[in-house]
Amino acid sequence: MGKLFIVPTPIGNLEDMTFRAIRVLKEVDLILAEDTRTSGKLLKHFEINTHMHSHHMHNEHKTVENLVKRLQAGETIALISDAGTPAISDPGFLLTRACVENGIDVECLPGATAFVPALVNSGLPNDKFVFEGFLPDKKGRQTRFLALQEEYRTMIFYVSPHKLNKTLAEFTQYFGADRPVSVSRELSKLHEETVRGTAEEVLKHFEAKPAKGEIVVCVGGKSLK
């Protein structure tokens, strides 16, 4: 029986790649990459020559069965995404679940992920939090906001730049203009920035200076007072 390795990759700064991740990627029989062109640059940088296959949200339903068979036959496979930890708002869950159901060992390496540094540097309570990832685009979006109105834990969202102002406006609508918000963008990269304030203040900031890059938003929960 083989083994599936879940391997985090840097979210921006290549120095965040771990020695262990490099070793595993060199030793496995196959690397599954979300985008082989993006991952190819990473592998070249670290002189990793392991063969790659494409594994993304559009083909993972079709490839899982064959990958399970290869693992059962004794192959070792590493799964990586374009950036961060696979299966966190990226492909990976389906294959991991299939391996668990078939008694195949799964080993997830610790490493880079965007929401942890965003939460820690937000200044918001981090003893209890809820990760929401990407909100629904249309269907179910209002329902999700209504459900989160009573959430007392810090909430974490992934937001694309062109939807940030709309989302911040919705925070003021559903949570109140004075709800504390922290927006982190381009974490670990050259232009890393965190903007903190009330939902209204942060919205005004990004209306005047539109955001670019990868974005994580942390929102304070409902006060229990």
Side-chain angles (χ1 to χ4, degrees):
M1 189 74 77
K3 178 186 281 191
L4 175 68
F5 292 90
I6 310 296
V7 182
T9 55
I11 59 175
N13 193 323
L14 290 179
E15 292 180 358
D16 293 333
M17 191 73 169
T18 68
F19 293 119
R20 183 179 170 203
I22 295 170
R23 176 182 59 78
V24 168
L25 293 179
K26 286 183 176 181
E27 292 178 350
V28 293
D29 298 308
L30 174 67
I31 295 173
L32 301 176
E34 187 177 1
D35 187 326
T36 55
R37 294 166 298 180
T38 299
S39 296
K41 299 174 185 177
L42 177 76
L43 300 191
K44 183 178 180 180
H45 179 83
F46 291 107
E47 300 180 346
I48 298 168
N49 299 312
T50 308
H51 186 63
M52 273 194 299
H53 278 185
S54 178
H55 183 81
H56 49 73
M57 63 181 294
H58 301 295
N59 73 356
E60 59 179 337
H61 287 84
K62 300 176 183 178
T63 59
V64 164
E65 184 177 351
N66 180 58
L67 290 170
V68 166
K69 290 179 179 178
R70 294 182 65 164
L71 287 158
Q72 288 174 326
E75 290 191 52
T76 54
I77 297 177
L79 174 66
I80 61 176
S81 62
D82 288 347
T85 302
I88 303 295
S89 294
D90 278 324
F93 166 68
L94 292 179
L95 180 57
T96 301
R97 180 178 65 181
C99 288
V100 171
E101 291 174 347
N102 285 276
I104 299 167
D105 283 347
V106 177
E107 185 173 332
C108 182
L109 279 61
T113 189
F115 78 81
V116 173
L119 172 64
V120 173
N121 72 26
S122 71
L124 296 170
N126 55 32
D127 56 331
K128 294 181 176 65
F129 60 90
V130 55
F131 176 71
E132 286 291 318
F134 289 100
L135 286 161
D137 282 335
K138 295 180 180 178
K139 185 178 180 181
R141 190 176 179 92
Q142 182 183 41
T143 302
R144 194 77 211 115
F145 272 120
L146 291 172
L148 290 172
Q149 282 181 328
E150 299 303 313
E151 179 57 66
Y152 67 91
R153 296 167 294 185
T154 298
M155 296 168 278
I156 305 170
F157 303 89
Y158 286 167
V159 183
S160 59
H162 68 280
K163 293 179 182 176
L164 179 61
N165 289 359
K166 172 191 174 182
T167 303
L168 291 170
E170 289 169 321
F171 289 160
T172 66
Q173 176 185 349
Y174 290 100
F175 303 147
D178 60 346
R179 185 68 68 93
V181 169
S182 174
V183 176
S184 293
R185 67 178 196 87
E186 294 294 84
L187 286 162
S188 84
K189 300 176 185 176
L190 180 63
H191 299 292
E192 178 176 335
E193 175 189 37
T194 294
V195 177
R196 308 173 185 86
T198 66
E200 184 175 44
E201 290 169 344
V202 175
L203 173 58
K204 287 181 179 178
H205 172 88
F206 286 108
E207 284 178 337
K209 185 181 178 182
K212 297 179 181 180
E214 302 289 330
I215 295 171
V216 185
V217 183
C218 296
V219 182
K222 181 180 180 180
S223 175
L224 295 177
K225 295 180 182 180

